[in-house]
Amino acid sequence: MARAISKRRTVIVTILAWTIGLLIFFPILWTVITSFKTEAEAIADPPSLFWFNWTLENYNVVNARSNYPLHFMNSVIISLGSTLIGLAIAVPAAWSMAFVPSKQTKNILMWMLSTKMLPSVGVLIPIYLISRNLGLLDSRIALVVILTLINLPIIVWMLYTYFKEIPIDILEAARMDGASLKSEILYILTPMALPGIASTMLLNIILAWNEAFWTLNLTAAKAAPLTAFIASYSSPEGLFYAKLSAASTMAIAPILIMGWFSQKQLVRGLTFGAVK
Amino acid sequence: MGQISLNQVTKSFGDVQVIPPLDLDINEGEFVVFVGPSGCGKSTLLRLIAGLEDTTSGVIKIDDTDATALPPAKRGLAMVFQSYALYPHMSVRKNIAFPLRMAGMDQAAQDAKINAAATALNLTDYLDRRPGQLSGGQRQRVAIGRAIVREPSAFLFDEPLSNLDAALRVGMRLEISELHKKLETTMIYVTHDQVEAMTMADKIVVLQAGVIEQVGSPLELYHKPRNKFVAGFIGSPKMNLIEGAEAEKHGAATIGIRPEHMTVSKSEGTWKGVVGVAEHLGSDTFIHVHETGLMDTMTLRITGDIEARHGDTIFLSPEMDKLHRFDAQGLRLV
Amino acid sequence: MSTQHSRSAARIMIAPATFLLLAWMLIPLCMTLYYSFRRYRLLTPDRQGWVGFRNYENFLTNPAFTSALINTLVLVLGVLIITVVLGILLAILLDQPFKGQGIVRILVIAPFFVMPTVSALVWKNMFMNPVNGLFAYAAKAVGLEPYDFLSQAPLMSIIGIVSWQWLPFATLILLTAIQSLDSEQMEAAEMDGASALNRFWFITLPHLSRAITVVILIQTIFLLSIFAEILVTTNGGPGTASTNLTYLVYAESLLNYDVGEGSAGGVVAIILANIVAIFLMRAIGKNLDA
């Protein structure tokens, strides 16, 4: 084969891939850049890409508004809380299904998956009414509980596929060595599955952080995470582009970084192990 | 310590009974080998004794206490797995320490035991490595080390050598035998390799389809196989089994003669045949003989070297006192 | 491969997850069903009662329902076609060796991690705004009249935004699938004289078929319930031009305060989602034993 052409081909591929990559990334890049402009520069015509006076003013303003840190903390608490509670419930369940499989295991897994298919809007009213009657509208507790339940099937599934890769011999060896079930899970299974548990955690924090149905419908001012806070910017047209950009950048930066770290495991998690 | 008895033990998976009612007594300090073809239930039997699997019915007693319902951790046994089953995230030291840690032993006592085991097993230099950094033989030793520090009443080995290459296997075989002589603890060893069984065992248990075919010392099994299956399974090369008219002459349905129990001649003998392949091992020669009219291929084993070319006609004479006779059910005739 | 001990332990340990999910599924579902047959308006909560199928009648005969159903279909199909086709092309491109592969991969994946409200706002204000948006500047720069995307073509604009969000997902999964293709198979085909196009058609595409199925089905589940993007950009309008089923149910129940009709809409949404779900479960269930 004519491998001589491959050099030219590589150049073309490189240029094409970089162009498309930058194009796809551009809206994010533009948001980040705009966040460093003044409001006047943000809507200047023609817009400038780099040659403007870079300023951190917008970040100061956004941070100084007392409610921004609150919403940021709400996002952290809700996504971290729901993920940790979810893990605590899912690790034992996944252990059971991976290491003591029965005829029901497959059915239970599929059923858990099916709860994920329930469209949120179908149960919006009851959840709204229950939250209202319990006085949990606009509370972090309600959101932590709901996001835990929404993501529980994904957590169970991901852990299940990771646990399945651990040879049962090693757990049996631990049993022979006198380990109780608790020790077996704590000292053998968990450390061995740590990479899997970590990526499960990462993916679920991302999903919870970006969840934008329940967070929008069940919160107002107090418990609103960043998704709902950002949505409140939707009314004033074109007036606060720079501040909007700064707030957006802060809202997506942590998750963007986490997501880049977990991209490999993301595929497995999002396809319920169907594509690895 | 270390006496195990199985009384009418059975095991079924769903509707399939893999072990029909089975009785077996293992005495203190014995080296017992479960041997049989793959799928004969030998590993299942070991797992039943270990407690990793429930019995469907029957009683397992360890040192005269009923252990049938005890979880593995409470049976006081130690097991060495085929895959070694080392904890990959722990150093060798931590691996060996794990059972002691689970038993809640204090650190000083743990260290003393680990160091003793490491010295005995030549692992002292590797204590801080991870299992992933060790060779197959070293991993095997760690697995054994983890078993011996528990001072169990019996050791269970599940095909421990099958993941090692041939040369290492012979070495480890000796090491395990020596360990047994030194510790004088009961050992139960599962293998499909009859050579391992013959060389290591005090007592061999031959299993087929979950049924014990024979229990006895290696030489008992070699000289007095209870039936055709045991006769064919123990010994290498395999015993020649002859049916038909030749067997009837000896008043049996089948007669058996081991390859090493025949003499060979170029001119005269009881049976005549044509040389197929001759395998020269130096110390011995295996000759595969065709066209005997008795069976497809007869195997002959001769000490030393012999000139035998493909296509030569040779004569074979069995040593009559070493002829085995079996009835129509395959049982040994006395 | 287990004992009575481990089996009973397993049952205990699986119980919390099962119980919680069962409650999460059954309780709200039953309540939605219950309300869907009741008259219940949040503004006049005292006048409640059984109304039979009237809520369903009202919901299904509402002209907004038909347009919402069509909008939902157009939205789902449009995004699916765009993301799957571009995703395949992009995955093949990114599978080629080139300088900075890792970085480009990260750039391409990034939009997936942007929360829906942020991406909707950024597109709405900074790109599609007819006065200050980047597209408007671009149009003016080449002498064209700026186009008001969200009023003139609200649904198409939303399809664009959502496609940008989901293209990374499709690309990432298809890329993973392509990378699992045995390179010897490709070389064998090359030896057999298959052209690049033939190799794509007869080897790559069949190899990707399972991944494509998974992408389509999973995206469908998420796309059926697109909400934040609509809420932020158009509020379903103008009129009902960009209202999908999810948004309609939300509008009925929390904007018009009609719990009964909203619930009936919820039940309809559940039924439609289940039809899709059945196919998804089959596709995933098949791979469970492998």
Side-chain angles (χ1 to χ4, degrees):
Chain A
M1 280 301 289
R3 295 290 171 206
I5 58 157
S6 69
K7 199 163 193 181
R8 214 178 78 202
R9 198 178 118 165
T10 308
V11 172
I12 296 172
V13 167
T14 308
I15 293 170
L16 198 62
W18 272 94
T19 311
I20 294 174
L22 286 171
L23 220 53
I24 291 176
F25 187 68
F26 184 73
I28 298 172
L29 183 70
W30 188 242
T31 308
V32 175
I33 288 173
T34 307
S35 74
F36 292 106
K37 294 178 174 175
T38 61
E39 291 297 350
E41 278 165 336
I43 52 170
D45 184 9
S48 90
L49 192 54
F50 292 114
W51 294 270
F52 56 86
N53 292 319
W54 293 68
T55 171
L56 285 171
E57 181 57 25
N58 301 308
Y59 287 92
N60 292 332
V61 171
V62 171
N63 268 322
R65 283 203 198 173
S66 62
N67 50 2
Y68 183 84
L70 169 77
H71 299 306
F72 186 85
M73 276 319 288
N74 283 342
S75 272
V76 170
I77 289 169
I78 290 167
S79 55
L80 209 62
S82 66
T83 302
L84 290 179
I85 297 173
L87 275 176
I89 301 170
V91 167
W95 175 90
S96 303
M97 294 194 278
F99 300 117
V100 196
S102 70
K103 280 175 193 150
Q104 263 68 55
T105 301
K106 189 175 165 172
N107 293 334
I108 293 177
L109 273 169
M110 292 314 284
W111 165 74
M112 284 190 172
L113 186 60
S114 76
T115 64
K116 190 79 193 123
M117 319 265 157
L118 198 67
S120 302
V121 74
V123 294
L124 170 63
I125 290 163
I127 300 297
Y128 183 88
L129 293 177
I130 291 173
S131 309
R132 191 194 62 181
N133 295 345
L134 293 176
L136 290 176
L137 273 185
D138 201 17
S139 78
R140 293 166 183 167
I141 297 172
L143 281 181
V144 168
V145 169
I146 289 170
L147 293 188
T148 302
L149 291 166
I150 285 183
N151 288 335
L152 192 57
I154 293 188
I155 303 184
V156 171
W157 263 84
M158 279 185 81
L159 290 178
Y160 170 77
T161 62
Y162 286 113
F163 286 0
K164 284 276 275 191
E165 285 167 12
I166 292 171
I168 192 167
D169 275 11
I170 293 181
L171 301 187
E172 289 181 341
R175 275 170 230 171
M176 292 298 295
D177 282 347
S180 64
L181 185 57
K182 197 182 112 211
S183 314
E184 178 187 323
I185 291 181
L186 224 54
Y187 300 127
I188 307 295
L189 178 66
T190 307
M192 280 185 74
L194 207 56
I197 293 175
S199 45
T200 307
M201 206 172 137
L202 227 47
L203 175 67
N204 278 281
I205 290 175
I206 294 170
L207 290 177
W209 187 277
N210 288 344
E211 203 286 326
F213 181 79
W214 295 110
T215 50
L216 290 179
N217 278 313
L218 295 184
T219 62
K222 261 188 358 232
L226 289 169
T227 42
F229 169 69
I230 298 280
S232 70
Y233 269 84
S234 74
S235 17
E237 294 250 340
L239 287 173
F240 303 110
Y241 282 14
K243 282 179 203 71
L244 165 67
S245 297
S248 297
T249 304
M250 282 193 280
I252 62 177
I255 274 339
L256 214 52
I257 292 163
M258 278 177 138
W260 283 335
F261 277 116
S262 69
Q263 45 165 316
K264 280 249 167 62
Q265 281 69 35
L266 204 71
V267 175
R268 191 207 294 238
L270 287 171
T271 61
F272 300 94
V275 176
K276 276 183 206 167
Chain B
M1 290 289 278
Q3 192 198 359
I4 297 170
S5 76
L6 281 68
N7 190 358
Q8 292 292 300
V9 168
T10 70
K11 176 67 186 174
S12 305
F13 290 114
D15 296 333
V16 187
Q17 192 174 51
V18 290
I19 297 187
L22 178 146
D23 293 299
L24 181 67
D25 283 302
I26 291 163
N27 299 322
E28 195 186 317
E30 254 182 341
F31 197 118
V32 178
V33 175
F34 294 171
V35 70
S38 57
C40 69
K42 55 191 187 297
S43 282
T44 307
L45 196 56
L46 192 75
R47 292 171 59 84
L48 289 176
I49 295 171
L52 294 172
E53 213 67 73
D54 280 337
T55 56
T56 306
S57 66
V59 177
I60 295 175
K61 281 188 177 173
I62 299 173
D63 294 327
D64 284 328
T65 46
D66 186 347
T68 318
L70 283 183
K74 301 246 168 75
R75 296 193 183 195
L77 307 173
M79 184 150 163
V80 175
F81 289 80
Q82 180 173 3
S83 61
Y84 318 132
L86 301 180
Y87 310 126
H89 57 290
M90 298 183 191
S91 65
V92 168
R93 181 190 302 279
K94 291 243 171 79
N95 259 280
I96 298 177
F98 189 73
L100 307 176
R101 197 170 133 207
M102 288 298 106
M105 189 180 278
D106 69 74
Q107 197 59 46
Q110 281 190 27
D111 287 341
K113 286 199 160 211
I114 295 164
N115 290 334
T119 312
L121 292 161
N122 273 328
L123 287 169
T124 317
D125 295 339
Y126 306 106
L127 279 176
D128 294 316
R129 294 210 190 160
R130 293 277 177 96
Q133 299 165 299
L134 302 180
S135 71
Q138 288 164 340
R139 283 183 214 183
Q140 186 60 263
R141 284 206 200 91
V142 177
I144 294 172
R146 196 172 63 184
I148 56 178
V149 291
R150 291 193 74 195
E151 295 175 4
S153 56
F155 290 94
L156 311 179
F157 292 90
D158 189 3
E159 307 220 16
L161 305 185
S162 56
N163 284 348
L164 298 177
D165 64 51
L168 259 176
R169 214 178 294 165
V170 176
M172 282 308 295
R173 207 164 77 193
L174 272 171
E175 278 188 45
I176 294 175
S177 292
E178 268 165 28
L179 193 68
H180 178 241
K181 297 278 179 295
K182 201 161 68 192
L183 298 174
E184 295 180 327
T185 310
T186 310
M187 290 189 177
I188 305 177
Y189 187 106
V190 162
T191 180
H192 60 270
D193 181 351
Q194 58 98 17
V195 177
E196 273 174 28
M198 293 294 284
T199 51
M200 302 171 89
D202 294 324
K203 183 153 102 185
I204 297 180
V205 177
V206 183
L207 285 152
Q208 190 198 11
V211 176
I212 294 180
E213 297 286 348
Q214 190 168 4
V215 179
S217 72
L219 290 181
E220 252 173 72
L221 264 56
Y222 179 81
H223 291 298
K224 290 184 177 132
R226 205 173 68 86
N227 56 31
K228 257 164 55 180
F229 177 79
V230 177
F233 195 79
I234 298 291
S236 173
K238 274 186 187 329
M239 181 189 281
N240 297 298
L241 292 169
I242 301 163
E243 290 170 357
E246 188 64 27
E248 277 164 31
K249 276 192 213 162
H250 298 273
T254 309
I255 54 168
I257 185 77
R258 294 198 183 274
E260 53 271 38
H261 293 157
M262 287 188 282
T263 52
V264 65
S265 159
K266 297 239 164 169
S267 51
E268 54 175 0
T270 318
W271 300 321
K272 185 178 140 187
V274 178
V275 175
V277 172
E279 297 171 303
H280 298 279
L281 303 182
S283 60
D284 297 294
T285 307
F286 298 165
I287 302 173
H288 299 274
V289 182
H290 302 294
E291 296 172 40
T292 54
L294 304 166
M295 57 190 293
D296 264 357
T297 305
M298 201 169 218
T299 312
L300 173 68
R301 175 181 187 162
I302 312 250
T303 313
D305 214 353
I306 185 178
E307 188 76 5
R309 283 211 191 82
H310 183 85
D312 286 356
T313 302
I314 54 168
F315 294 89
L316 309 168
S317 310
E319 293 169 30
M320 292 315 282
D321 58 328
K322 297 204 167 133
L323 199 71
H324 304 267
R325 301 183 309 133
F326 302 99
D327 66 16
Q329 277 75 50
L331 288 175
R332 178 181 192 82
L333 288 166
V334 194
Chain C
M1 302 288 276
S2 52
T3 62
Q4 198 59 48
H5 282 280
S6 55
R7 275 196 300 278
S8 48
R11 236 172 278 138
I12 293 168
M13 301 220 300
I14 207 171
T18 319
F19 177 77
L20 284 173
L21 282 174
L22 200 65
W24 166 243
M25 191 170 88
L26 284 182
I27 296 172
L29 204 61
C30 293
M31 286 176 72
T32 304
L33 266 173
Y34 170 80
Y35 287 127
S36 73
F37 293 108
R38 304 272 298 178
R39 180 198 148 81
Y40 184 14
R41 300 191 179 184
L42 290 175
L43 294 180
T44 53
D46 300 334
R47 293 179 50 205
Q48 289 196 36
W50 295 100
V51 292
F53 282 92
R54 195 178 311 149
N55 285 324
Y56 289 90
E57 257 177 67
N58 289 343
F59 186 79
L60 294 174
T61 54
N62 183 346
F65 169 72
T66 325
S67 80
L69 198 60
I70 293 169
N71 287 341
T72 307
L73 280 178
V74 172
L75 181 61
V76 171
L77 284 179
V79 175
L80 278 182
I81 292 168
I82 293 172
T83 53
V84 170
V85 172
L86 292 184
I88 292 174
L89 296 177
L90 211 49
I92 291 171
L93 181 68
L94 295 184
D95 187 41
Q96 314 291 322
F98 62 89
K99 281 213 181 70
Q101 213 169 5
I103 300 172
V104 171
R105 215 178 120 122
I106 281 175
L107 295 182
V108 169
I109 294 166
F112 188 72
F113 302 118
V114 176
M115 56 178 64
T117 46
V118 166
S119 63
L121 265 190
V122 165
W123 279 98
K124 177 191 178 185
N125 289 317
M126 292 162 63
F127 287 88
M128 294 175 169
N129 186 294
V131 181
N132 293 319
L134 218 48
F135 291 155
Y137 292 131
K140 276 183 275 180
V142 295
L144 290 171
E145 197 62 15
Y147 188 71
D148 190 352
F149 290 90
L150 288 165
S151 341
Q152 305 292 323
L155 194 57
M156 291 304 139
S157 304
I158 290 171
I159 289 177
I161 297 173
V162 175
S163 297
W164 177 74
Q165 289 179 295
W166 283 93
L167 180 60
F169 172 81
T171 308
L172 188 60
I173 284 168
L174 294 169
L175 181 62
T176 311
I178 283 187
Q179 283 168 343
S180 73
L181 179 61
D182 182 11
S183 69
E184 283 185 8
Q185 220 184 93
M186 274 304 213
E187 283 165 6
E190 210 174 326
M191 296 291 290
D192 289 342
S195 68
L197 199 64
N198 275 331
R199 291 203 297 274
F200 171 75
W201 194 254
F202 291 109
I203 295 177
T204 310
L205 211 53
H207 176 79
L208 287 183
S209 62
R210 199 179 89 186
I212 293 174
T213 320
V214 170
V215 167
I216 290 177
L217 293 167
I218 289 174
Q219 281 199 25
T220 308
I221 292 298
F222 282 93
L223 296 177
L224 279 174
S225 44
I226 290 284
F227 174 73
E229 291 83 345
I230 297 174
L231 177 78
V232 170
T233 54
T234 65
N235 273 312
T240 54
S242 59
T243 296
N244 70 351
L245 213 50
T246 303
Y247 195 84
L248 182 64
V249 175
Y250 156 80
E252 274 308 322
S253 34
L254 296 191
L255 297 183
N256 293 343
Y257 303 110
D258 190 341
V259 169
E261 200 180 319
S263 296
V267 174
V268 172
I270 290 171
I271 292 169
L272 292 177
N274 268 311
I275 296 171
V276 181
I278 288 168
F279 290 103
L280 177 57
M281 308 281 279
R282 281 207 189 140
I284 290 175
K286 250 184 233 160
N287 301 318
L288 199 58
D289 305 316

